[in-house]
Amino acid sequence: MGAAVDLNTTLTALADPTRRAILARLAEGEATVNELAEPFPISQPAISRHIKVLTNAGLVVQRVDGTKRPCRLAAGHLSELDEYLSMLRTALETNYARLDRLLASEAKKEST
Amino acid sequence: MTLELKTEGDTHVVVTRRFAAPPEAVFRAHTDPALIQQWMTGPDGWTMPVCEIDPTPGGTFRYEWSNGEQGFYSTGEILEVDPPNRIVHVERMFLPDPTPDNHITTTFTADGDGTLMHCRMTLPDAESRKAMLASGMEHGMEASYARMEALLGEG
């Protein structure tokens, strides 16, 4: 499965914060579309579209259980630890981008 | 200025990043409470209403974050300081239960007209490291939610 999905598809799938949050939720275990949609103020069809992108990227697999379609992380694609690292990277970068601007404004203050 | 974040062995996390300012300025931004409060605020929508730090060996610090509804804080001790190149400290977060001690060595090295920051965290064991990374992820998720709300607010 992994070989059939190119890196760009995976990166595009990971570029969206909602999809990263869905992956983070799935890192805790299997969940239905309803359960995944719960924390988001967006419609269930919108969540379903996000899940489709993640499925196409080979990051998530969906199984059939009666009328439900529970989702889980695809095995061996991204480890839980890698997922945590990716989210922490985003959080840290938010801080450091702010520090960049602060350092630039401090430098300006000193030169005037 | 790409941020590099990776694990090392079972208990370390290493962060490196370059800043377009000399080590003196980057060191000050990490030790002056008035400056720390302006950038170490985490996801959009969060602020740091309390920022106390005595950046001398044996000194302590306390940072408190709030988004108006929820909050959490961290405390720790400064173990070594060598301005403007090196800070060694230990910290724990209260979420609200205290997390295991995170020993952090941060170095600032002149790199042309900028600074290369290297930050090495050491957790007591692999499980605590995973928990620390997971809590960072929750805050990353917070940022995602906040950004998404802002986006929806525009529509």
Side-chain angles (χ1 to χ4, degrees):
Chain A
M1 172 199 65
V5 178
D6 70 68
L7 187 61
N8 266 336
T9 311
T10 308
L11 290 177
T12 307
L14 287 173
D16 182 89
T18 307
R19 288 197 287 272
R20 287 200 300 271
I22 290 172
L23 289 174
R25 166 63 187 82
L26 290 176
E28 293 167 10
E30 196 176 73
T32 64
V33 178
N34 273 338
E35 286 165 345
L36 288 172
E38 209 174 314
F40 300 100
I42 57 180
S43 69
Q44 198 185 306
I47 290 290
S48 293
R49 280 195 294 278
H50 281 307
I51 291 168
K52 187 145 192 269
V53 174
L54 292 169
T55 311
N56 289 342
L59 294 167
V60 167
V61 288
Q62 234 175 337
R63 66 184 177 89
V64 179
D65 178 13
T67 56
K68 291 181 186 157
R69 301 282 182 277
C71 303
R72 61 178 167 79
L73 286 187
H77 208 99
L78 266 189
S79 76
E80 196 179 11
L81 204 60
D82 284 339
E83 180 56 26
Y84 289 165
L85 281 173
S86 139
M87 298 298 285
L88 185 60
R89 195 174 285 122
T90 309
L92 284 175
E93 192 46 41
T94 309
N95 274 352
Y96 290 135
R98 217 179 274 124
L99 178 53
D100 283 338
R101 294 193 289 276
L102 177 66
L103 290 169
S105 76
E106 288 291 301
K108 208 184 250 179
K109 255 191 245 168
E110 270 171 30
S111 67
T112 52
Chain B
M1 307 244 184
T2 322
L3 173 82
E4 237 185 77
L5 173 70
K6 56 178 190 179
T7 54
E8 215 180 80
D10 283 339
T11 58
H12 305 288
V13 175
V14 177
V15 182
T16 51
R17 197 181 186 283
R18 191 181 185 278
F19 296 98
E24 289 75 12
V26 182
F27 178 85
R28 199 161 59 237
H30 279 80
T31 48
D32 178 342
L35 295 179
I36 293 170
Q37 264 179 318
Q38 292 179 57
W39 70 269
M40 213 186 274
T41 50
D44 293 341
W46 286 77
T47 58
M48 191 195 275
V50 175
C51 180
E52 297 161 355
I53 177 169
D54 169 15
T56 56
T60 60
F61 67 87
R62 181 185 175 95
Y63 302 150
E64 291 184 25
W65 290 273
S66 166
N67 69 351
E69 288 168 13
Q70 305 155 275
F72 63 96
Y73 68 99
S74 77
T75 63
E77 296 84 43
I78 310 294
L79 304 176
E80 292 171 43
V81 191
D82 178 19
N85 297 117
R86 188 175 141 96
I87 304 168
V88 181
H89 77 278
V90 56
E91 70 175 38
R92 60 209 67 95
M93 311 277 272
F94 292 81
L95 303 165
D97 296 328
T99 59
D101 282 6
N102 187 359
H103 278 80
I104 305 176
T105 299
T106 311
T107 58
F108 307 108
T109 312
D111 177 38
D113 55 2
T115 300
L116 195 64
M117 183 195 74
H118 184 267
C119 179
R120 190 165 194 264
M121 309 180 196
T122 307
L123 281 302
D125 49 57
E127 267 313 297
S128 334
R129 181 180 68 180
K130 194 169 161 189
M132 191 275 290
L133 291 171
S135 73
M137 183 184 76
E138 280 163 28
H139 299 303
M141 281 171 71
E142 265 301 320
S144 304
Y145 291 145
R147 269 198 301 273
M148 192 168 61
E149 276 162 9
L151 201 68
L152 292 166
E154 284 165 16

